[in-house]
Amino acid sequence: MVTPVSLRALMWMRQGCLGIVVLICLMAIEGHVYSVPAFYSLSGDAVLSLPTITATALCCAALLLQRALRGVSRCEAALWGMVIVICGVVPVMQLLGNSIGEGEMGLNTGLSFVCLGTGQILFARMQTLPFVLTMGSVVLPFIGIVGYLFGRTELFGAMSLQTGFVLVALGIASAARYARRPVLRGLLAGSEVGEAARLAVMGWIAWILLGAALNWTAPADLQDSAVFIFVAVSGLGGLAVVLLLAMIAENRRELRNRDAVALGALMERDPVTGLPYRGLGKLYLRCHARVGPVGMMMIGVDNWDWIVREGGRENAELILRRMSTVIGRAAGRRDMVLRYDDRRFLVLSHGTVGAALARKADRLCGLVNQSGATGTWMSEYSASVGTAVGRAGEFALEPAVSMALAAVRNAERAKTGGPDMSYAKDSAGFPDVAHPRSG
């Protein structure tokens, strides 16, 4: 079962990223117009230049033209193409000594825009490459931001801090169209796996910020040691995460192998009645006990030993086939009828408890008893029924079934007037859940 992906939070994140981009660009434009360097150069000498602002505006326009679960329109592709052209023309102009306003578009900035535009143009035309290019557009800006945080100028070059934030925000906003792809489904799913993945991402960001804080607050003579310790701990943490993920993947692989072999074994059916054996009841509980209780009805033939002794095995099997037909027709659409042992049937009914379970059990038992007239070697046969309820979240079949079995045995003893001595050999030869070894 595929866990549904909730897109509401992702769309809010996308709109928030676009809002951050617009705010940074507006501040940079005001800085260029009114000659306020702090608005377009927060740290260092690198500048959020006018060509970069132009390319960013075209990216925002292209992102606003995107439609959910649709391909790239001609207008959107044209805007992305203009971004790629600007990133190719502007560096050439800068090499020739022609600059537009303060600052320049760095090589890492232009390469990030080209990756972003190419990845968006190729969306719905290829499977993996578009997403790789879109995520690749975030790599250089992220390295630049880390360089600013740790005071390493060689990591960001001519890319300003604002440009790094702009490109990272554009990359996150552009990745929203890949939400239905398996590569992002685990991160966005509303399941426990999705929650754990999102917490891991938040913890990763917090760890980077903690390292930056240690770098800025540590004394000058200890900064190199602090960075070395941070990198060493990060490496050990990454190794631990890799080993943990490998362990989880291997355990799940073994579980899938066991389930596949066990499921094949559970598909075996009783040759007399055509019903599955009781082992399939555990699989039924695994599916339904997560959401609610499961009612259990145990229906057995009275005086089974006498029937087999007087009428023979063939006539006894004829009774079992007639009972299985009646129970199968009368059971609900979501109920499961199982061959429990040599003389009894088990009916599992999800959500049927209390008085409803008792009424359903009495009705099934009455229908079985009404179908008993044969007019041949015996005038009629009778059946008894016992009920029990498997609680929600309880995936073991035995506790509730043992109560249902005790109830039906009490009913059989009440009819026969003596102890039930045949149960010890009833279940012989009827398989339970298979437990194969994966190898």
Side-chain angles (χ1 to χ4, degrees), residues 185-241:
R185 189 178 295 137
L187 181 64
L188 302 174
S191 62
E192 296 179 355
V193 175
E195 294 179 0
R198 289 189 289 272
L199 287 176
V201 171
M202 294 175 62
W204 172 64
I205 296 174
W207 178 253
I208 294 176
L209 295 177
L210 176 62
L214 290 175
N215 179 71
W216 286 106
T217 56
D221 55 340
L222 296 178
Q223 284 188 354
D224 292 338
S225 300
V227 172
F228 174 77
I229 294 174
F230 176 78
V231 172
V233 174
S234 299
L236 292 175
L239 178 61
V241 170

Side-chain angles (χ1 to χ4, degrees), residues 58-259:
L58 293 174
C59 290
C60 290
L63 289 173
L64 292 175
L65 290 178
Q66 291 180 358
R67 293 294 179 267
L69 303 180
R70 294 184 183 179
V72 181
S73 63
R74 292 182 178 179
C75 186
E76 181 187 350
L79 291 173
W80 289 117
M82 293 171 64
V83 172
I84 296 174
V85 170
I86 289 175
C87 295
V89 172
V90 170
V92 175
M93 294 177 59
Q94 292 172 170
L95 288 176
L96 297 176
N98 299 320
S99 60
I100 303 174
E102 290 289 335
E104 60 181 18
M105 178 183 285
L107 182 61
N108 48 5
T109 301
L111 183 59
S112 298
F113 274 117
V114 170
C115 288
L116 179 61
T118 306
Q120 295 299 298
I121 291 175
L122 295 179
F123 178 77
R125 291 177 174 84
M126 296 182 179
Q127 291 294 326
T128 307
L129 183 61
F131 181 77
V132 172
L133 291 174
T134 302
M135 293 292 97
S137 66
V138 183
V139 174
L140 293 177
F142 178 78
I143 293 176
I145 293 175
V146 173
Y148 279 103
L149 291 177
F150 287 90
R152 297 295 186 268
T153 58
E154 64 274 8
L155 296 179
F156 52 82
M159 180 184 291
S160 66
L161 182 59
Q162 293 101 314
T163 305
F165 283 122
V166 164
L167 286 171
V168 170
L170 288 175
I172 296 174
S174 301
R177 73 186 329 167
Y178 299 93
R180 299 291 185 183
R181 299 286 179 87
V183 69
L184 285 182
R185 189 178 295 137
L187 181 64
L188 302 174
S191 62
E192 296 179 355
V193 175
E195 294 179 0
R198 289 189 289 272
L199 287 176
V201 171
M202 294 175 62
W204 172 64
I205 296 174
W207 178 253
I208 294 176
L209 295 177
L210 176 62
L214 290 175
N215 179 71
W216 286 106
T217 56
D221 55 340
L222 296 178
Q223 284 188 354
D224 292 338
S225 300
V227 172
F228 174 77
I229 294 174
F230 176 78
V231 172
V233 174
S234 299
L236 292 175
L239 178 61
V241 170
V242 169
L243 294 177
L244 177 62
L245 293 177
M247 180 188 67
I248 294 175
E250 181 64 19
N251 290 339
R252 291 193 174 186
R253 186 190 67 83
E254 293 183 358
L255 181 61
R256 285 195 301 269
N257 290 342
R258 287 200 302 268
D259 285 348

